[in-house]
Amino acid sequence: MAEAVVSIVTEGLKPLGDFILQEANFLSGVGEQVELAQTELRLMLGYLKDADAKQGEDEVVRVWVATVRDAAYDLEDVIETFVLKVASKRKGSMTIVLKRFACILREGSYLHKTGSEIEKITTKLSKLRSRMECYDIKAIGSGSEGSSSSVDRQHDQRLTYAHFSERHVVGIEGDVEILATHLMKEEEEQFHRVVSIWGMGGSGKTTLARQVYHHNKVRRHFDSFAWVCVSQQYEGRGVLEEVLIKLTAATKEQREEIERKKRDEIAELLYNLLENMSCLVVLDDVWNTGTWNSIKAGFPVNKRTRSCILLTTRNKEVALHVDENGFLHESRPLNANESWKLFENIAIFGRDDTVVEIYAKKEELGKKMLQHCGGLPLAVIVLAELLARKRTVDEWYKVYKNVDVYIRRGTELEPEYKNQGYKGASWVLALSYDHLPYRLKLCFLYLGHFPEDYEIPVKRLTQLWMAEGLISSTSIDMIEDVSYGCLIELVERCMVQVGKYGSSKKIKTCRLHDLMRDLCLSKGKEENFFDIVNFASTASKAAPIGKVRRRAIYLDEKVDYLAPTRHERDGQLRSLLYFGSLIWKKKMIDKMFNDFKLLRVLKFEEMRFEVKLPSNIGDLVHLRFLSLKNSEMNQLPSSVASLVCLQTLDVRCKDKVLVKIPNVFSKMEQLRHLYMPYKHSVSEKLSLASLSSLQTLVHISNQDSDFKELVQLNNLRKLSVNFEILEEISKAAFFTMNRVQSLCVVSTSMDILKSIVYRCRYVSKLKVMGPIGNLPEDLPTYPNLTKLTLCGTCLEDTQIKILEKLPKLQTLFLGVGAFGAGSRDLVFSSEGFPSLEVLYLNGLSELSYWWVSEGAMPSLCRLYIENWITLVEVPRLQYVSTLKEITIKLMPDTFCSNLQEGGKDFYKIQHVPSVLFESIVAEQWDEAVKKRMQLAQERRKQLNQEKFRVSMYVQKAALQFIDAGVDN
C-alpha cells in the first residue's frame, strides 16, 4: 500500500513542482528541494512493491513501510500548502505577484522554513532508502505481477468477468420453501410471529431472506412490506421510524409528522399497525440483544396477528431472545457438491478454450481450493471470480499455492466460529484484495468509511475518490468516466456489490457485503488508511498508532462535542465524513475549522446549525469536496470564495430553508459539480463563466446568472435550470446543448419550455416541469433520448402518439399535471414504446382510463402505478409478456383487491412474477382520497380559467417527486 500512496503523491506533486520550478528565480531554494524530494520518491517506488508484499511477515518492514508512507504524505502537505499560500496572494500578473510575495516571504523567513521542512523530509526518505538492503527489500519492475502497468491493464481488458447476481444462488431452494411456508401459515395454525435466520457472516442469510421476501406467494399473502438493515449504527427510534414509513408508504408531510412524534408514540403506532394488518417486516443483520430491546415495543411478538417478522442475525442468542418460541433456521454452509456447482458456473462454464483434459485438471485443483472456503458462498464466489480471470492450468496452480500459503498464516474469524469448518474463507477475500492494482486498493479501502449496509451513491463515491486524488486521467477521457470504470472493475472482481441500476443501465448505488467490509476495515487499520469514530457503539477502541489522514464519524443524537478527546488534535486529517444528524453548536464548528486546516474532503450532511456557518470555513483552502446536503443553513459565507481547489460543492439544503448565496464562484476554476440550494437568493448575479470544468449545475435560474455565461460552459453534462425570462434565451440564437446528457427545465412559460426542448436534441435524460402544451413533433428523431419525465406539462392526451414513437426511450415518468384538464383516456397503440422498460404513472387525476393494445410495450419489465385515484381499472397487461414487476402504491382498496388473486382483474397480471401493493392505514386513506380529489377539482377549475397556467400545487408536487429520487 505504500507503493500506492507514494505513486499517487508523486503524481500529485508533479504539477506543484512544475509551478515552483517555473518561478525558481523568485522562489530560490524551494525549487531545488522539491526536485530532490521528487527524485527520492521516484527512486523509492521500485522497492515498495517488494516491501508491501513482505510487511505481513516482518514487523520491522511494516514499520519501515509506514514511515515511508507518512513521509510521502507530509511532503505533499508541505508543498501544497506552500503553493496555495503563494497563489492566494495573486494580484495582477503572476510574475509581479511572485516578486512581491517573495520579498514578503524572505522577510518573514517563510521560504527558508518551507525549504528546511522539505529538506528534512527528503533526508528522511534518503536514509530510509539506504536501509532497504538491511531488510532484504529488492527493486521490482513495474511490469511484475500485481503491478498496474499498461501490459497488465490490456491483459485484464481481454478477460471477461462473471457477474455475481441472484441467479448464482445454489442449494437454498428447499430452505426458501420452508421459510415461506412458516410465514404463510393461516392464523389458526400460525404460532411463529418471528422467523429467524442465523449464521456466520457471508453464509447467505441475507440472500436467503431476500429470496423469501420476493417469493411470489409471500408477496400475495401479505398486504404491506418493509425491509430494514439493522446495523450497529441504527438507534432504536431510527429503526421504528423506518419500518413505519415503509409500511405506510408515508408522504413527505406524513414523514415530517412521524419525525415530530416521540419515540413511544412511534412505537405505539407501529404496534397497532402490525396488530391490525398483514405485514411482513424483515429485520436484517441484528447484532445484539440490546438492539432488539430498543425496538421491541413496536412489535406485537407475543400476540396473535397476521403480521410476521423475518429476522437475520449472526448471533443465535439474539434470535432466541426475540422470540424463544419462534422458528429458527440456521444458514448452513454449502456442501462439496453445491460449492463445486456454484464455483463451476462462474469459473469454468462459458469458456470456449476449455477442453476435457484441461477441465479435469482445473476440477481437481478447484475442488482442493474449495476446501479452504469452508462452504461460505461469498468465499466460493470470490475465489471463482479470481480463477475466471486465469486461462491456463499453471495460473490456476499458482493461485492454489497462494491460497495454501495464506491459509497457513491463519484466519481472523469471530471466536464463536473457531473450529467449525470456516477456516480460510477470510483469506480468500484477502487474496482477492492483494490482486488489485494499487489504485483499486485505495478505492476499495475508501469504501470502509461508510457504515455497514450503507447504500453508497456511485456519483458521490466517485467525487470523493477524485477529491482524495485516488483517480487521475492523462487521456482524453473525463476523470469521472475513469472513476466509474474503477468501480466497474471492483464490481467485476466481486469486491463491491451493485445496489441499484439507473435508467441508463449504469450503476446508481453500490454496497459492501459484510465479509468484504470486514476485510476493508481490517486492511484499513493495517495500513492506517482511515479511522472510524462510532458514537453509537459502547465498545472501547484504542487510539490508532501514527498519523491518521482520514476519519469517518458515526453520530447519534446525544453528541455534543466534535470527537473523542484522543482525536481532537489530528491536524493532518484529509478526509472527515460525518454520518448521522446533529445540531451543531458554534464552538463545535469553530473548533473543527481551526484544527483541521489540511482537509480535502468534508462531508457535513443532515446537519442543523444553531448559528450561521462561520466564516473561517474559508481557511480550509485545501478542500476539494464540501457537502452540506440536507442541512439547515440560511447563508453561505462569502469566505467560501477562498476555496479555490473545490471540485464538488453541494449546498442542497432542506427545501424549507431559503439560503443566501454570495457571488463566490468566480475563482473556483477546478469546480466540476455545483449543487445549489433548492431555495436560494442572490444579492448580485453569480459569475460562472470562468468555471470551464463544470459538469454539473443544479438548481440555477436566469435570476442567478446571465444566460450568456451558462452558454459558455461547454463541459456541462447535467443541468437543472428554472427559466422565467424568454428574452435572454431568444438573444442566444446559437444556443444548443450538444454536450448536456441530463437536462431538467422548470418554468411557467410555455414559450421558454418549447424553446429549450427544441434546442436540446442530444440529451439522454430530459425532465420538463411546466405547461409546454405540445411536444415537438420531431421528438422521435432525438437520437439519444432514453429517459423522459413530464410533470405539470398539461399535454393533450393525443400527445401520447408522439411519445410512443420514441425509438430508444427506456424509462418514462408521467407525473402530476402531465395531461391537461380536457384529457380523458391514455391509449398505448400496438407497437408503441418499442424499447420502454420502466413506466411510472403517478397522480394522473385528469385521466380515467388507460388502454394498452396488443403488441404495445414489448420490452416493459417494471410498472409503477401510484396515487392515480381516478383510474377505473388496469388495462389488459396480459399482452405484455415481458413484465416482471408491478408496484401499486397509494391506490384505493377496491382497485387493489380487484388485482389480487380472486379479483376480477387478476387475470390481467397473473403472469407477473412480482406484484407489490403498498398502501397506507385504512383510516388515513379516506382523508387522503378526499383531499386529493378536492385538489384535483380545484386545479381543473384553474386550468379551465386560464388554459395553460400551471398552479403552484402542480409545480410543488412535481418538484417534490423528482427531488425524492426519480432520478438523482
Side-chain angles (χ1 to χ4, degrees):
M1 263 287 293
E3 179 210 5
V5 170
V6 173
S7 296
I8 288 177
V9 168
T10 302
E11 290 180 13
L13 285 180
K14 189 178 186 307
L16 300 177
D18 291 345
F19 169 77
I20 294 175
L21 291 174
Q22 288 170 7
E23 307 298 337
N25 292 334
F26 309 106
L27 302 177
S28 59
V30 177
E32 292 85 350
Q33 294 298 334
V34 170
E35 193 170 18
L36 285 172
Q38 288 177 296
T39 301
E40 278 297 333
L41 288 178
R42 285 192 291 267
L43 290 172
M44 190 76 76
L45 274 174
Y47 297 88
L48 286 173
K49 191 185 303 294
D50 188 37
D52 279 333
K54 291 179 177 178
Q55 66 171 321
E57 302 171 341
D58 192 326
E59 180 65 25
V60 175
V61 174
R62 183 182 297 115
V63 173
W64 183 89
V65 168
T67 306
V68 172
R69 181 178 60 238
D70 283 342
Y73 276 135
D74 289 341
L75 180 65
E76 186 178 30
D77 290 340
V78 170
I79 295 176
E80 184 174 85
T81 300
F82 175 75
V83 170
L84 286 174
K85 183 162 287 191
V86 171
S88 68
K89 304 296 182 180
R90 179 178 297 175
K91 293 179 182 177
S93 69
M94 190 61 192
T95 302
I96 295 175
V97 172
L98 288 172
K99 285 181 179 178
R100 293 174 179 171
F101 190 56
C103 294
I104 297 173
L105 291 175
R106 289 192 183 100
E107 291 175 2
S109 71
Y110 186 74
L111 267 175
H112 176 72
K113 179 182 177 182
T114 301
S116 297
E117 289 179 352
I118 297 174
E119 183 180 12
K120 182 179 179 180
I121 297 172
T122 305
T123 302
K124 184 177 184 179
L125 287 169
S126 180
K127 290 181 179 179
L128 288 168
R129 186 163 58 87
S130 67
R131 296 174 185 169
M132 290 184 296
E133 292 183 3
C134 300
Y135 308 140
D136 194 28
I137 299 173
K138 302 175 182 178
I140 299 178
S142 61
S144 302
E145 183 177 348
S147 72
S148 56
S149 67
S150 59
V151 175
D152 287 306
R153 292 182 186 277
Q154 293 170 0
H155 178 67
D156 288 349
Q157 290 171 2
R158 290 196 299 267
L159 294 174
T160 59
Y161 306 121
H163 291 276
F164 174 74
S165 63
E166 295 294 335
R167 59 189 173 88
H168 291 314
V169 172
V170 171
I172 65 172
E173 296 82 2
D175 297 336
V176 171
E177 293 300 325
I178 291 172
L179 292 171
T181 300
H182 280 282
L183 289 172
M184 296 186 298
K185 286 183 178 180
E186 296 300 326
E187 185 171 355
E188 56 269 20
E189 59 180 357
Q190 172 69 283
F191 297 101
H192 305 303
R193 301 278 81 76
V194 179
V195 174
S196 297
I197 307 170
W198 78 278
M200 180 183 175
S203 61
K205 304 183 300 296
T206 300
T207 298
L208 178 56
R210 189 178 292 115
Q211 294 292 312
V212 176
Y213 185 75
H214 291 291
H215 191 283
N216 195 33
K217 291 183 179 178
V218 171
R219 282 290 172 180
R220 294 174 182 173
H221 181 82
F222 294 98
D223 298 326
S224 193
F225 300 82
W227 178 294
V228 179
C229 294
V230 186
S231 67
Q232 290 176 315
Q233 286 71 50
Y234 267 107
E235 50 92 17
R237 177 190 172 94
V239 174
L240 296 173
E241 277 187 12
E242 187 168 356
V243 174
L244 182 61
I245 286 171
K246 288 185 175 181
L247 289 178
T248 61
T251 63
K252 180 180 179 181
E253 291 75 14
Q254 291 168 339
R255 284 172 181 259
E256 292 174 350
E257 183 179 354
I258 291 173
E259 291 173 358
R260 288 193 295 267
K261 292 183 180 297
K262 296 180 180 179
R263 177 170 173 167
D264 57 344
E265 293 175 330
I266 295 173
E268 184 178 0
L269 280 174
L270 179 59
Y271 189 99
N272 293 333
L273 177 64
L274 293 172
E275 187 178 30
N276 297 309
M277 293 182 65
S278 177
C279 305
L280 175 61
V281 178
V282 177
L283 299 177
D284 187 38
D285 210 12
V286 182
W287 280 72
N288 51 59
T289 56
T291 300
W292 172 253
N293 290 337
S294 69
I295 64 175
K296 65 180 181 180
F299 297 90
V301 171
N302 298 318
K303 299 190 68 173
R304 283 190 174 272
T305 72
R306 292 178 297 145
S307 296
C308 287
I309 297 173
L310 180 59
L311 180 146
T312 74
T313 181
R314 298 185 184 189
N315 190 342
K316 184 177 181 179
E317 180 186 0
V318 172
L320 296 176
H321 179 75
V322 173
D323 185 5
E324 61 181 9
N325 296 318
F327 180 77
L328 181 61
H329 178 85
E330 180 181 0
S331 60
R332 60 176 180 82
L334 301 175
N335 60 35
N337 291 333
E338 292 167 341
S339 295
W340 173 249
K341 181 179 178 181
L342 179 59
F343 176 88
E344 184 183 43
N345 287 341
I346 299 172
I348 298 179
F349 276 174
R351 302 296 293 269
D352 296 332
D353 57 351
T354 301
V355 296
V356 175
E357 293 81 4
I358 294 177
Y359 176 88
K361 293 178 181 178
K362 286 185 175 180
E363 181 180 12
E364 179 183 0
L365 286 172
K367 288 185 176 179
K368 288 181 179 179
M369 285 186 278
L370 285 174
Q371 294 175 8
H372 303 304
C373 293
L376 291 173
L378 181 60
V380 174
I381 291 169
V382 171
L383 177 62
E385 278 292 332
L386 175 65
L387 291 168
R389 302 167 59 86
K390 310 295 182 183
R391 294 183 177 274
T392 67
V393 174
D394 288 340
E395 289 176 310
W396 277 50
Y397 187 70
K398 188 174 183 179
V399 173
Y400 166 67
K401 290 194 298 181
N402 287 338
V403 169
D404 192 49
V405 169
Y406 274 82
I407 292 303
R408 286 200 301 270
R409 292 179 184 173
T411 58
E412 295 181 358
L413 298 174
E414 295 85 12
E416 62 266 29
Y417 296 115
K418 292 288 187 182
N419 304 318
Q420 293 187 15
Y422 294 110
K423 183 178 181 181
S426 62
W427 285 105
V428 175
L429 304 182
L431 179 62
S432 182
Y433 169 82
D434 289 339
H435 273 69
L436 291 175
Y438 72 81
R439 282 197 180 275
L440 287 186
K441 285 183 179 180
L442 295 175
C443 291
F444 173 72
L445 289 185
Y446 207 87
L447 294 167
H449 287 86
F450 296 92
E452 189 171 3
D453 298 322
Y454 195 92
E455 284 282 318
I456 306 170
V458 168
K459 186 173 293 185
R460 183 48 44 94
L461 175 63
T462 56
Q463 291 168 353
L464 291 169
W465 282 347
M466 291 186 297
E468 278 280 4
L470 307 185
I471 306 295
S472 66
S473 176
T474 56
S475 66
I476 60 173
D477 295 329
M478 286 271 192
I479 191 171
E480 284 79 5
D481 296 333
V482 176
S483 186
Y484 182 76
C486 291
L487 175 68
I488 290 294
E489 190 164 0
L490 287 173
V491 170
E492 290 174 335
R493 290 171 180 263
C494 281
M495 302 292 289
V496 177
Q497 293 182 332
V498 176
K500 298 176 183 177
Y501 285 98
S503 60
S504 61
K505 308 302 181 186
K506 294 187 70 173
I507 301 173
K508 194 170 183 178
T509 65
C510 64
R511 58 177 177 262
L512 284 179
H513 189 281
D514 288 350
L515 280 181
M516 278 298 180
R517 185 170 183 271
D518 290 343
L519 171 68
C520 193
L521 296 177
S522 174
K523 288 294 182 180
K525 180 180 179 181
E526 177 184 313
E527 303 288 351
N528 212 17
F529 185 76
F530 65 90
D531 180 42
I532 293 177
V533 177
N534 186 0
F535 283 100
S537 174
T538 57
S540 61
K541 181 175 179 290
I545 300 175
K547 294 182 179 180
V548 175
R549 308 282 172 167
R550 302 166 188 86
R551 174 162 297 130
I553 296 183
Y554 303 162
L555 301 167
D556 66 16
E557 57 188 13
K558 298 178 181 179
V559 176
D560 60 357
Y561 53 97
L562 178 65
T565 304
R566 64 177 182 271
H567 299 300
E568 288 184 349
R569 289 292 174 184
D570 295 328
Q572 73 284 343
L573 275 180
R574 294 184 171 206
S575 284
L576 195 51
L577 285 73
Y578 287 88
F579 296 91
S581 180
L582 191 67
I583 299 178
W584 285 92
K585 301 176 181 178
K586 184 178 186 302
K587 63 177 182 179
M588 299 165 64
I589 303 175
D590 287 343
K591 184 175 181 58
M592 180 178 65
F593 293 162
N594 289 330
D595 290 350
F596 306 135
K597 295 294 180 65
L598 296 176
L599 279 180
R600 294 184 173 199
V601 169
L602 179 56
K603 179 182 174 293
F604 211 48
E605 300 174 350
E606 305 285 347
M607 301 299 175
R608 290 169 290 167
F609 301 104
E610 281 190 346
V611 294
K612 65 180 182 179
L613 200 63
S615 60
N616 62 345
I617 190 174
D619 295 339
L620 306 181
V621 293
H622 294 264
L623 272 182
R624 271 83 164 161
F625 176 95
L626 173 60
S627 178
L628 300 168
K629 185 179 180 182
N630 292 333
S631 296
E632 293 184 8
M633 175 187 67
N634 57 18
Q635 184 174 356
L636 190 67
S638 58
S639 63
V640 169
S642 300
L643 307 181
V644 296
C645 293
L646 273 179
Q647 298 172 357
T648 299
L649 175 60
D650 191 343
V651 285
R652 286 176 290 182
C653 300
K654 293 187 176 180
D655 55 5
K656 64 182 180 180
V657 180
L658 179 66
V659 184
K660 296 178 182 179
I661 303 294
N663 186 16
V664 294
F665 305 113
S666 60
K667 295 182 180 180
M668 298 180 185
E669 297 178 0
Q670 299 183 42
L671 195 61
R672 307 176 73 86
H673 306 282
L674 174 57
Y675 302 89
M676 296 281 282
Y678 297 100
K679 290 183 179 180
H680 64 269
S681 63
V682 297
S683 56
E684 60 178 297
K685 292 278 189 177
L686 304 179
S687 301
L688 302 177
S690 60
L691 308 184
S692 58
S693 299
L694 200 63
Q695 294 187 33
T696 303
L697 182 56
V698 173
H699 299 138
I700 196 76
S701 75
N702 56 289
Q703 296 177 353
D704 300 332
S705 177
D706 290 333
F707 182 75
K708 62 182 180 181
E709 293 197 1
L710 296 184
V711 174
Q712 296 176 40
L713 303 178
N714 294 325
N715 287 315
L716 272 182
R717 288 186 173 189
K718 180 172 183 176
L719 176 63
S720 175
V721 61
N722 186 343
F723 277 115
E724 297 297 336
I725 303 174
L726 180 63
E727 182 179 357
E728 292 187 6
I729 301 177
S730 301
K731 288 179 181 178
F734 59 89
F735 163 60
T736 58
M737 291 188 176
N738 293 335
R739 294 190 177 219
V740 173
Q741 300 173 1
S742 176
L743 175 67
C744 174
V745 187
V746 182
S747 181
T748 57
S749 168
M750 179 193 303
D751 292 333
I752 289 176
L753 291 168
K754 286 186 176 181
S755 177
I756 295 179
V757 172
Y758 286 174
R759 301 180 190 211
C760 62
R761 297 181 56 86
Y762 297 98
V763 296
S764 58
K765 300 178 182 179
L766 175 62
K767 301 177 188 176
V768 181
M769 292 185 282
I772 193 171
N774 296 307
L775 297 168
E777 292 186 1
D778 64 341
L779 192 65
T781 66
Y782 285 31
N784 303 322
L785 191 56
T786 59
K787 181 170 184 176
L788 179 62
T789 300
L790 302 173
C791 292
T793 47
C794 299
L795 300 176
E796 297 179 4
D797 51 19
T798 56
Q799 291 286 295
I800 203 70
K801 298 294 184 183
I802 296 176
L803 295 178
E804 65 184 7
K805 293 178 182 178
L806 291 168
K808 295 184 179 181
L809 189 65
Q810 297 175 358
T811 301
L812 175 62
F813 172 72
L814 299 175
V816 177
F819 295 93
S823 303
R824 178 173 174 78
D825 297 346
L826 190 62
V827 181
F828 288 8
S829 305
S830 179
E831 300 182 0
F833 298 105
S835 302
L836 192 66
E837 297 179 2
V838 182
L839 176 61
Y840 294 83
L841 303 171
N842 177 264
L844 303 178
S845 59
E846 299 83 7
L847 305 173
S848 300
Y849 292 93
W850 176 29
W851 310 97
V852 175
S853 301
E854 185 173 0
M857 301 184 293
S859 303
L860 189 68
C861 297
R862 290 184 288 159
L863 170 64
Y864 297 84
I865 302 175
E866 179 176 355
N867 205 18
W868 187 357
I869 60 175
T870 57
L871 181 62
V872 176
E873 60 182 356
V874 296
R876 297 183 177 182
L877 296 176
Q878 67 267 33
Y879 297 140
V880 188
S881 59
T882 56
L883 197 53
K884 303 298 182 185
E885 179 182 324
I886 299 177
T887 300
I888 309 293
K889 187 175 181 180
L890 298 179
M891 294 295 286
D893 290 339
T894 54
F895 182 90
C896 296
S897 60
N898 287 339
L899 290 176
Q900 294 175 346
E901 191 168 2
K904 69 181 185 66
D905 291 329
F906 176 69
Y907 73 97
K908 300 177 182 179
I909 62 166
Q910 62 181 348
H911 65 292
V912 181
S914 175
V915 180
L916 176 62
F917 295 92
E918 297 182 9
S919 188
I920 57 177
V921 182
E923 301 86 61
Q924 298 174 329
W925 177 249
D926 290 338
E927 290 299 322
V929 171
K930 290 178 182 178
K931 183 177 180 180
R932 185 73 179 87
M933 291 294 292
Q934 182 180 358
L935 289 171
Q937 291 173 359
E938 292 176 358
R939 187 158 58 82
R940 281 198 180 93
K941 186 183 297 184
Q942 287 179 312
L943 290 171
N944 286 331
Q945 292 173 351
E946 188 173 344
K947 187 174 182 181
F948 288 119
R949 179 176 177 81
V950 178
S951 69
M952 292 304 295
Y953 162 73
V954 175
Q955 286 195 50
K956 182 179 179 181
L959 282 168
Q960 285 177 346
F961 196 91
I962 296 302
D963 290 335
V966 175
D967 180 17
N968 292 326

